[in-house]
Amino acid sequence: MHILHIDCSPREQSHSRNLSAAIVARLFAAHPGASVTRRDLGRHPIPHAEAAYAGALAAPGNPDAGAATRLSDELIGEIEAAGTLVIGTPMNNFTVPSVLKAWIDQVLRIGRTIGTTPTGEKTGLLRDKPVFIGIASGGVFAGEHARQPDFLIPYLTAAFACVGLTSLRFYPLQATAFLDEARLAANQKALLAALDVTGIGAPER
Ligand SMILES: Cc1cc2nc3c(=O)[nH]c(=O)nc-3n(C[C@H](O)[C@H](O)[C@H](O)COP(=O)(O)O)c2cc1C
């Protein structure tokens, strides 16, 4: 099994890094021969979509797009080569941090990962695969005690579905601003107890 492991926090003592690393460790425990590609968007952010890239998207199929889509090609290639994605991300202002949005802008690409029907609907062109998403949030955005809107889970669900990735599993570690480390560790343990790696990495039929 090959894992694409993406982190989005710029912080060293990051809860979402810790969470995504624990998910990867669980996958390794189930599949000792697994391999990993790292894409650390938090420490090594990618550039925002530039004019040449926007131009290439406006004219999909243009063989001269070349350099404008090189980064996009590389990032999409990393997804295609993986059997499983693991993402660690903070919630920033009710949604994904801009480093993750910059990545999404490169991998949701019309004519490459997104197809269109004659009537204008979008169809995902990637093969579906499990996507584990560990989220750290300072406050509470999910569940009965939610105190703020959530534009992160619905957004990622819609964005990934657009390219054909619908097998998403979310693991929100909430209230990092309020809970002490012992309580957060206990909450993370409870979250990961519900993590089911059964069937992940099984050969395709
Ligand atoms: C710019 C910024 C925006 C944030 N916005 C939110 C937010 O909307 N909701 C929330 O619950 N926490 C918010 N936080 C708090 C982070 O989600 C929290 O500190 C989280 O633990 C960060 O992830 P990390 O520990 O992996 O770095 C924000 C933090 C920053 C720096």
Side-chain angles (χ1 to χ4, degrees):
M1 180 181 53
H2 188 65
I3 302 164
L4 173 59
H5 180 189
I6 297 172
D7 272 317
C8 305
S9 174
R11 300 190 321 120
E12 283 303 318
Q13 306 300 322
S14 150
H15 297 286
S16 60
R17 281 181 184 279
N18 200 21
L19 192 50
S20 71
I23 294 170
V24 169
R26 283 285 295 276
L27 290 168
F28 262 91
H31 302 277
S35 52
V36 179
T37 294
R38 282 288 273 144
R39 178 57 71 171
D40 197 329
L41 300 171
R43 289 182 183 139
H44 307 288
I46 59 170
H48 287 121
E50 291 170 353
Y53 178 67
L57 262 59
N62 176 3
D64 298 329
T69 57
R70 195 165 296 138
L71 175 62
S72 169
D73 290 336
E74 182 183 342
L75 298 172
I76 292 168
E78 289 175 357
I79 298 174
E80 289 175 327
T84 303
L85 270 57
V86 178
I87 300 174
T89 182
M91 170 178 269
N92 276 7
N93 296 313
F94 316 125
T95 188
V96 296
S98 61
V99 291
L100 182 53
K101 178 60 167 58
W103 180 85
I104 289 169
D105 285 343
Q106 296 288 335
V107 302
L108 269 62
R109 196 168 120 205
I110 203 83
R112 177 65 177 81
T113 55
I114 306 169
T116 46
T117 68
T119 47
E121 284 95 16
K122 289 178 175 168
T123 54
L125 300 181
L126 294 181
R127 176 174 57 82
D128 193 21
K129 58 195 76 186
V131 183
F132 296 87
I133 302 166
I135 303 166
S137 63
V140 180
F141 70 89
E144 58 178 313
H145 301 297
R147 291 288 179 273
Q148 59 183 310
D150 171 18
F151 297 107
L152 193 160
I153 290 178
Y155 171 65
L156 284 184
T157 302
F160 279 120
C162 193
V163 294
L165 300 177
T166 58
S167 300
L168 311 188
R169 304 163 195 217
F170 292 97
Y171 301 90
L173 184 65
Q174 305 185 78
T176 61
F178 303 104
L179 301 180
D180 61 30
E181 290 303 320
R183 182 67 193 276
L184 286 168
N187 287 357
Q188 175 165 313
K189 196 172 167 194
L191 273 180
L192 295 185
L195 192 151
D196 180 11
V197 294
T198 314
I200 304 292
E204 283 185 60
R205 289 173 196 282

